[in-house]
């Protein structure tokens, strides 16, 4: 069972390229964006850390400056003008006096919110310090100053943040430490104003109503810049980060749409923690803006790259697709070629690419395929043509002819129509092949074909059935039409000659005619009967047509031959043969000088059978040797009986290659004691020429025995003056077909005249047979022909008369 596989889904190469490219670009762009972003963030962090550091440094500097300032102020306090100081006042009293005097200045101008003097004795008597107690812290500071002998400073947030300076004082009246304190609230505000940074001082929690506790850190806010905004911001940081986190590094936080950076630092030797918060929204926005810009740029680059890729790929891919769609069509050869071929120039730019190469290749391939398709078509056409035609003559062949005949026969039977079939066989065509070679034979067949084509109607069907056999099918043709066509063909064939260097062949044919459906209701019968009729025409002496007759039907060719073979045997055994003699006239002397011996066969029913009917068969069966021997025997006997007698005897061509017959002749001719001119042996030119050497030898032999030779039927198969010279014949017998129409045919006249000249030039005498009228005899005499023979002079008969003067029939006594 076959499993149908669904066709794989199609995704254009360009999309594959673009998709994978997109993937790569997206990843690489993202990496670039992330890298630059992390670099930017890193940079940002470094910058913010530096800013934070700077801020803390600034704070410390400001605190130090403030301390120094306070220290100077504290030093000045003891130097303030003490007017009207009571005499004998000690250091404490003097200071009180001064402070009282200048309290406004101290508080308003110098921003000193606390002044306190502790004398040395009090300081020394003070118990162990309590770190939670501000007083204790201050005592501690004072003691530090006293023991160090110089100013000591501290920032103490308890609960509010103050800067304190302890200055040791000493004079004649005593010693002590002056403590001066100043709130850092202004400093914090000032810092905020200058640096736009919020600052908070945080301390461990204490109980109290106004304590603002940062719960998560468990720290109290001692001071903060911009308490209204500052506190919530601080709370937010506390919610996000632990104190440890904030002490480690600056931390970033978003609060109410703005970004803030915060860090925690411990004051040196102080009890407080300082929280610095400053807004970084601008920087953050810049950072984010940069990031967005990078993303936008990389996205734009991505899009641009893909659009370009698409732009570049679109057209080539379109072409590729169209090229691909052409390919399946290239496989088959349809009637209109291999289909639309890609135009290699179409879409070709100045510079070619792979697609152009592909287009070129496909176009080339297509052209090649088209050419081979054409060649195949032509070959097919030719094969088709060959199936129905004969390549030599271009006529239809037997196969096609039989098909057509069958159809026509079918129609004829169905619709009571009729037609005629001519079966044509060239006479003695074999000789042409044997003597002049196959090329001449082929050429002859072509000429015959051309001639036939010219002499049949367009509606007739002409075919070469094989060898030298042709057929003409005449639709609607009756006996009259068929005979007219046959006559015309035979007549025209006469004018056809073909020659090579040494031979000129005349052409004739035997035509059998069969009518249908009268002479055959199927193709086989009809052809066989036409063939039989043709054979009858041959039997009747060739160069004629024969209409099939139903009575002949029984006598089929082979049967005919075997019957004749039997007849010949019977005739040989039981004296069925007899001889007739036809007079030969010496034209100039007007005297019968010789007789030609012609054989006849008496049939069982007494009818006389002419030699044309059985010589052929006898030649084929070999019986001809016995016949010839018998005839020669008879002739020799006659010559012995009548020494004045002169005879011409026909010999078959077989004698030339028959040593037994030759031996017999050599033995029997001398016995007859021949006198010169008493015996003429007639051999056809065809027989002689087929074995020239043998013929010449035989003739020399026979000459030496006193016999003469005649070249019979000269001109029927060929006319070769060259052979004439070679053959030692005494007589040349012009074939009767040249003589019968001599009075009317200029061609024949030319031929006869020329032959007489040549033959005489070679010392040979000329005999004309078939002299049928006085006019012909006159012409022959005029041409100088030596002998005449024919019905006008005398028909073959049984009388053997010695040389008699010729009396024309009309003048018969
Ligand atoms: P062929 O040797 O050319 O003999 C001449 C033939 O022409 C004879 O036919 C003769 O009857 C015929 N004839 C004579 N005068 C005329 C005429 O004016 N008009 C016409 N139309 N015909 C004329 P036949 O006797 O039927 O002999 C036919 C052929 O048979 C001979 O042709 C010859 O080739 C062969 N033949 C005859 N007798 C013998 C024979 O004894 N031995 C051999 N081997 N062949 C023979
Ligand atoms: Ca003869
Ligand atoms: Ca003859």
């Amino acid at each position: 069972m076959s499993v149908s596989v669904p066709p794989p889904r199609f995704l254009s190469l360009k999309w594959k390229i673009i998709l994978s490219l997109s993937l790569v670009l997206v990843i690489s762009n993202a990496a670039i964006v992330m890298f630059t972003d992390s670099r930017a963030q890193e940079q940002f962090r470094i910058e913010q850390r530096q800013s934070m550091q700077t801020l803390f440094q600034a704070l410390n500097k400001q605190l130090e400056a403030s301390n120094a300032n306070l220290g100077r102020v504290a030093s000045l306090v003891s130097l303030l003008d003490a007017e009207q100081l009571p005499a004998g006042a000690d250091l404490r009293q003097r200071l009180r006096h001064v402070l009282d005097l200048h309290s406004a200045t101290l508080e308003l101008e110098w921003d000193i919110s606390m002044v306190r003097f502790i004398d040395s004795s009090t300081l020394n008597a003070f118990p162990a310090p309590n770190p939670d107690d501000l007083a204790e812290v201050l005592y501690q500071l004072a003691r530090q100053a006293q023991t160090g002998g110089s100013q000591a400073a501290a920032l103490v947030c308890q609960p509010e943040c103050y800067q304190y300076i302890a200055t040791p004082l000493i004079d004649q009246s005593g010693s002590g430490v002056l403590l001066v304190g100043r709130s850092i609230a202004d400093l914090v505000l000032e810092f905020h104003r200058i640096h736009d940074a919020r600052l908070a001082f945080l301390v461990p929690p204490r109980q109290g109503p106004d304590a603002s506790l940062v719960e998560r850190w468990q720290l109290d806010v001692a001071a903060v810049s911009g308490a209204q905004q500052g506190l919530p911001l601080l709370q937010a940081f506390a919610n996000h980060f632990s104190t440890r986190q904030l002490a480690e590094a600056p931390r970033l936080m978003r609060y109410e749409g703005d970004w803030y950076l915060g860090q925690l630092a411990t004051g040196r030797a102080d009890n407080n923690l300082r929280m610095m918060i400053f807004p970084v929204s601008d920087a953050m926005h810049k950072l984010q803006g940069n990031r967005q810009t990078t993303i936008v740029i990389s996205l734009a680059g991505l899009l641009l790259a893909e659009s370009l890729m698409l732009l570049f790929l679109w057209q080539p891919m379109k072409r590729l697709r169209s090229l691909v769609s052409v390919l399946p069509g290239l496989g088959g050869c349809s009637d209109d070629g291999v289909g639309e071929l890609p135009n290699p120039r179409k879409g070709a730019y100045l510079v070619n690419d792979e697609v152009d190469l592909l287009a070129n290749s496909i176009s080339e391939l297509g052209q090649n395929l088209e050419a081979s398709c054409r060649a195949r078509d032509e070959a097919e056409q030719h094969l088709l043509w060959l199936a129905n035609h004969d390549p030599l003559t271009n006529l239809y062949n037997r196969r096609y002819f039989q098909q057509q005949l069958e159809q026509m026969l079918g129609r004829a039977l169905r619709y009571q129509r009729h037609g005629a079939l001519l079966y044509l066989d060239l006479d003695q065509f074999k000789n042409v092949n044997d003597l002049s070679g196959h090329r001449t034979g082929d050429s002859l067949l072509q000429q015959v074909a051309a001639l036939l084509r010219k002499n049949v109607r367009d509606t007739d069907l002409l075919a070469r059935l094989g060898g030298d056999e042709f057929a003409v099918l005449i639709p609607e043709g009756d006996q009259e039409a068929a005979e007219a066509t046959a006559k015309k063909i035979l007549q025209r064939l006469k004018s056809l000659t073909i020659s090579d260097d040494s031979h000129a062949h005349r052409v004739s044919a035997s035509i059998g005619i069969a009518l249908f459906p009268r002479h055959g209701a199927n193709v086989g019968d009809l052809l066989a009967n036409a063939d039989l009729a043709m054979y009858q025409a041959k039997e009747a002496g060739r160069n004629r047509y024969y209409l099939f007759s139903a009575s002949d039907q029984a006598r089929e060719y082979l049967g005919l031959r075997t019957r004749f073979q039997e007849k010949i045997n019977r005739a040989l055994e039981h004296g069925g043969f007899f001889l007739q003699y036809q007079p030969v006239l010496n034209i100039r002397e007007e005297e019968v000088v010789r007789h030609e011996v012609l054989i006849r066969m008496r049939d069982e029913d007494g009818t006389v059978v002419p030699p044309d009917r059985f010589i052929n068969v006898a030649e084929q069966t070999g019986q001809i040797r016995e016949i010839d021997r018998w005839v020669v025997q008879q002739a020799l006997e006659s010559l012995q009986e009548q020494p004045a007698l002169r005879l011409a005897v026909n010999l078959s061509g077989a004698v030339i290659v028959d040593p037994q017959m030759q031996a017999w002749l050599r033995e029997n001719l001398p016995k007859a004691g021949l006198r010169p001119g008493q015996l003429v042996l007639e051999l056809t030119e065809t027989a002689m020429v087929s074995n020239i050497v043998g013929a010449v030898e035989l003739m020399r032999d026979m000459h030496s025995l006193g016999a003469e030779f005649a070249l019979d039927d000269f001109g029927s198969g060929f006319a070769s003056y060259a052979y004439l010279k070679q053959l030692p014949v005494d007589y040349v017998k012009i074939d009767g077909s040249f003589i019968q129409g001599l009075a009317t045919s200029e061609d024949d006249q030319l031929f006869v005249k020329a032959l007489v000249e040549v033959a005489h030039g070679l010392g040979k005498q000329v005999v004309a047979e078939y002299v049928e009228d006085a006019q012909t005899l006159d012409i022959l005499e005029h041409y100088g022909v030596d002998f005449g023979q024919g019905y006008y002079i005398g028909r073959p008969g049984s009388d053997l008369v010695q040389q008699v003067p010729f009396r024309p029939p009309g003048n018969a006594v």
Side-chain angles (χ1 to χ4, degrees), residues 314-341:
W314 197 270
Q315 197 60 24
M317 289 301 146
K318 223 172 104 180
R319 289 188 67 210
L320 260 184
R321 279 191 85 141
S322 75
L323 289 178
V324 164
S325 70
V326 165
L327 282 176
L330 290 181
C333 302
S334 63
D335 288 346
D336 42 337
V338 296
E340 181 104 11
L341 281 181

Side-chain angles (χ1 to χ4, degrees), residues 63-77 112 114-118 138 141-142 145 150-156 162-168 177-182:
L63 283 172
E64 273 164 27
S66 178
N67 261 339
N69 195 2
L70 194 58
R72 270 194 301 279
V73 171
S75 307
L76 283 177
V77 170
I112 289 175
M114 189 216 82
V115 180
R116 195 161 164 194
F117 180 74
I118 308 168
L138 291 179
L141 188 67
S150 64
Q151 285 190 328
L155 179 71
V156 182
Y162 281 80
Q163 278 185 305
Y164 293 100
I165 292 286
T167 311
V177 174
L178 182 68
L179 276 166
V180 178
R182 181 162 63 183

Side-chain angles (χ1 to χ4, degrees), residues 596 682 712-713 733 735-736 769-770:
E596 181 177 7
E682 290 191 9
D712 206 353
D713 296 351
K733 269 187 113 165
D735 189 74
E769 53 182 355
Y770 288 25

Side-chain angles (χ1 to χ4, degrees), residues 48 52 197-200 202 214-217 219 224 229-247 249-256 258-264 274-281:
Q48 299 310 320
M52 197 56 97
R198 292 178 201 286
L199 190 59
L202 302 164
V214 179
E215 240 177 275
R216 285 203 58 196
W217 288 346
L219 287 172
V224 64
Q229 264 200 337
L231 265 178
L233 195 55
L234 193 60
Q235 292 285 4
F237 263 102
N239 289 337
H240 273 86
F241 306 103
S242 68
T243 49
R244 200 169 51 81
Q245 284 175 320
L246 278 166
R251 303 288 168 177
L252 198 61
M253 190 195 72
R254 196 178 167 84
Y255 177 72
E256 289 189 347
D258 283 321
W259 288 92
Y260 295 92
L261 193 73
Q263 191 172 18
L264 212 52
R274 291 151 202 191
M275 176 76 188
M276 187 79 77
I277 298 173
F278 72 92
V280 288
S281 287

Side-chain angles (χ1 to χ4, degrees), residues 582 596-600 611-612 615 628 631 650-652 682 712-713 740 769-772 790-791 796:
Q582 185 176 32
E596 181 177 7
V597 180
L598 298 164
I599 193 168
R600 305 286 180 260
D612 273 335
I615 291 291
D628 278 355
V631 174
N650 292 289
L651 282 182
S652 150
E682 290 191 9
D712 206 353
D713 296 351
Q740 264 182 316
E769 53 182 355
Y770 288 25
V771 182
E772 295 180 345
Y791 293 165

